[in-house]
Amino acid sequence: MRLALFQPDIAPNLGAAIRLTACLGVGLDVIEPCGFPLSDKTLKRASLDYGDKCDWQRHDSFAAFAAATMLRNSRIVLIETEGSTRLTDFIFEPSDVLMLGRETEGTPGDVIAACHACVRIPMALGLRSLNVVTAGAIALTEAMRQTGGWATLD
């Protein structure tokens, strides 16, 4: 199981994703370009002391990320407010990569079309969206529950 951030715009969200994935023992993919300089200094400030505990990879484009995902025989499962399938109705696999869209602009149509599935987290009517890392935590919780991922943790 992995979490992916598509062109993140907000450095503290990347830091929160690094901490989340380190604590849950899942990998993290960062798909560039980012909306901030992805330097060692930025990462260190954003991730606090979790950066070296996270299995993360940088990809210079969505195409490079998709190619790496294909080599791992993984599905790209997009978590998006406009997803066609409810989170609790989707059947996750241990090798899935859960991808979150850009905070300010969402996910472009061509990227959505390249994903294996587009899943939404049910929310109260009239509300727009969750914080991207909060959405990632909710989606990972369900995916790990379904695939037995919690059994590998303390």
Side-chain angles (χ1 to χ4, degrees), residues 10-121:
I10 302 169
N13 281 342
L14 174 56
I18 289 170
R19 186 173 186 162
L20 172 68
T21 56
C23 287
L24 296 184
V26 301
L28 176 66
D29 293 286
V30 179
I31 305 160
E32 298 188 68
C34 297
F36 51 88
L38 191 54
S39 65
D40 289 339
K41 184 178 179 181
T42 304
L43 279 176
K44 186 170 182 156
R45 187 178 325 119
S47 65
L48 302 173
D49 58 345
Y50 288 83
D52 64 341
K53 296 165 183 60
C54 177
D55 167 24
W56 73 284
Q57 291 184 305
R58 291 170 75 160
H59 305 276
D60 62 6
S61 66
F62 179 76
F65 163 72
T69 303
M70 189 181 327
L71 286 174
R72 289 192 299 255
N73 290 323
S74 297
R75 299 183 303 178
I76 301 172
V77 179
L78 178 62
I79 309 301
E80 180 66 54
T81 57
E82 304 297 322
S84 57
T85 305
R86 289 173 56 102
L87 178 72
T88 53
D89 294 337
F90 187 76
I91 299 172
F92 290 94
E93 298 175 1
S95 60
D96 284 343
V97 179
L98 283 57
M99 187 174 80
L100 303 165
R102 203 171 342 164
E103 295 100 324
T104 58
E105 298 180 33
T107 311
D110 61 326
V111 172
I112 293 172
C115 294
H116 296 89
C118 190
V119 174
R120 75 178 183 285
I121 298 169

